[in-house]
Amino acid sequence: EGPLLVLAGAGSGKTRVITHRIARLVERGVPPQAIVALTFTNKAAGEMRERTMALLRRGKAERGGPRQERGAARGLTVSTFHAFGLDVLGREREAVGGRFTIFDQGDQLALIKQLLRAAGAERAYDAQAVLARISNAKNAFLAPDELPERDPYDEIAKVLYPRYREALRRYRAFDFDDLVCEVTTLWRDRPDIRAKWQDRFLHVLVDEYQDTNKAQLEMMRLLCGARRNVCAVGDEDQAIYGWQGADVRNILDFERHF
């Protein structure tokens, strides 16, 4: 019970920690459907899921009982942060405005170019660079008025960010970052919905924790609630995704956050 941080170097078996902990939780009586394990790529999630299911299937056999069937882990959630967020938004569709679509990067760039044209700044700025500033702001869980103004790209991003969000609403769309940010905002603003998801998931496990950003941290804190049953595995020396919004302070300040 409670928060657990495992620091482990490259090749030392970090994912094995997650899979064996899930198997042990189930062995001790935690229902698989009350466990969620989160990581960053579909490949990693698929590998983790298969390894966990193999452990669960052979668990009883190793203890002298009948071999568990594949259905023993059917309710287990092993997912990327963004796929998990998409599932939450889909299940809470009415709370987020009804049916929605997902904008891919091409859709996002087209929208940014449209907004730059409307602002008379199409030739002055690279749309991809502006989109990157907005994405970084979302991942840092910053409101439009909290964006810094260090250079002209920061300034135009601060102008376009609220217009971009409003345009997404008009299109009834979310972008990739919203799959985490909108869930976090929903749980923050709707205690009733947050409580429902906290009751559903009793244990949260996170692989490669050094790669999390501020929005993902807030998502986890809200999901864990007062129970704080989070197990995070990572290595601060492998924190190389700062340019994508990852914040190494999440792993360094784990004890303060949880």
Side-chain angles (χ1 to χ4, degrees), residues 59-178:
K60 281 191 176 179
E62 291 178 347
R63 294 191 299 274
R67 183 181 292 270
Q68 289 193 23
E69 297 300 323
R70 175 175 285 264
R74 184 169 294 159
L76 179 68
T77 300
V78 181
S79 173
T80 65
F81 276 94
H82 293 88
F84 176 65
L86 178 59
D87 183 58
V88 174
L89 291 174
R91 293 174 187 272
E92 303 294 348
R93 187 179 294 118
E94 294 309 311
V96 295
R99 295 183 63 181
F100 59 85
T101 188
I102 303 298
F103 268 26
D104 62 20
Q105 189 171 47
D107 298 323
Q108 292 174 263
L109 279 173
L111 179 54
I112 291 293
K113 289 177 180 178
Q114 176 184 324
L115 294 173
L116 283 170
R117 278 195 301 273
E122 181 182 14
R123 296 180 181 275
Y125 298 95
D126 176 70
Q128 180 68 64
V130 175
L131 179 59
R133 301 290 174 107
I134 293 174
S135 177
N136 287 340
K138 285 190 172 188
N139 288 328
F141 212 49
L142 296 175
D145 60 356
E146 295 176 313
L147 265 65
E149 296 183 53
R150 297 162 298 196
D151 59 40
Y153 270 92
D154 280 344
E155 294 170 6
I156 193 66
K158 189 167 186 172
V159 171
L160 295 190
Y161 184 13
R163 301 177 188 179
Y164 175 76
R165 292 206 308 185
E166 181 57 38
L168 286 177
R169 291 191 194 100
R170 288 199 307 272
Y171 287 118
R172 292 193 171 190
F174 295 122
D175 65 18
F176 188 67
D177 299 320
D178 287 334

Side-chain angles (χ1 to χ4, degrees), residues 235-247:
D235 177 10
E236 70 270 32
D237 292 331
Q238 293 185 63
I240 59 174
Y241 291 105
W243 60 278
Q244 288 185 331
D247 191 341

